[in-house]
């Protein structure tokens, strides 16, 4: 059994919103997951497609064989919290209102049947 994984770090997406998409593709075949992601209306989908394609290419380059992408299965897909970008919004009477812009780390793991 051949495995490969790929990850995207410090992505400007909330980990909660990324997990919502990743739950839909976990356990699916590679081609089916790409199709699902292309027609989902979420912003995280574009980034997840790139990471998924990277994982498939890692599998091909690691084992140096011609791998049929129809046989690849997503065994693990998760999003962890990254550091928050801290910004301030000016408010009335000279106050400052904190804004926390979240980042996340997405990891996808594939295996060959």
């Amino acid at each position: 059994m051949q495995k490969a994984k790929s990850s995207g770090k410090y992505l400007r997406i909330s980990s909660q919103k990324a997990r919502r998409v990743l739950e839909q593709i976990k356990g699916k075949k590679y081609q089916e997951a790409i199709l699902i992601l292309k027609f989902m209306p979420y912003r995280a989908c574009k980034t997840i497609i790139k990471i998924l394609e990277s994982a498939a290419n890692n599998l091909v380059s690691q084992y140096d064989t011609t791998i049929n992408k129809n046989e690849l299965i997503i065994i693990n897909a998760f999003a962890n919290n990254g550091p928050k970008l801290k910004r301030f919004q000016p408010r009335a009477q000279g106050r400052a209102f904190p804004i926390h812009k979240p980042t996340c780390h997405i990891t996808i793991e594939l295996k060959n049947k």
Side-chain angles (χ1 to χ4, degrees):
M1 182 174 67
Q2 302 163 332
K3 285 185 182 179
K5 75 177 178 181
S6 181
S7 62
K9 301 213 175 219
Y10 305 102
L11 303 170
R12 276 287 291 117
I13 303 167
S14 165
S15 59
Q16 211 172 358
K17 291 177 183 178
R19 277 189 208 112
R20 174 175 56 187
V21 177
L22 291 171
E23 288 299 318
Q24 299 297 314
I25 63 166
K26 202 181 289 186
K28 301 267 195 293
K29 291 184 177 180
Y30 172 80
Q31 295 289 0
E32 189 182 345
I34 292 287
L35 195 64
I36 289 168
L37 290 169
K38 281 188 179 175
F39 291 103
M40 280 181 119
Y42 304 116
R43 196 185 104 196
C45 291
K46 287 182 185 177
T47 310
I48 293 171
I49 286 174
K50 287 181 185 178
I51 296 168
L52 188 56
E53 287 171 348
S54 176
N57 291 333
N58 287 346
L59 191 67
V60 171
S61 66
Q62 269 181 355
Y63 296 102
D64 203 36
T65 58
T66 54
I67 291 173
N68 187 1
K69 289 191 176 178
N70 292 328
E71 295 178 359
L72 298 180
I73 296 173
I74 300 167
I75 54 172
N76 210 353
F78 57 91
N80 292 330
N81 288 329
K84 288 184 170 69
L85 300 175
K86 293 175 178 140
R87 303 289 181 260
F88 288 99
Q89 176 77 31
R91 301 300 277 216
Q93 298 177 355
R95 293 189 177 97
F97 185 77
I99 294 175
H100 300 287
K101 297 184 175 191
T103 62
C104 75
H105 308 310
I106 297 174
T107 305
I108 297 177
E109 200 170 341
L110 293 175
K111 77 169 182 177
N112 199 4
K113 265 188 179 173

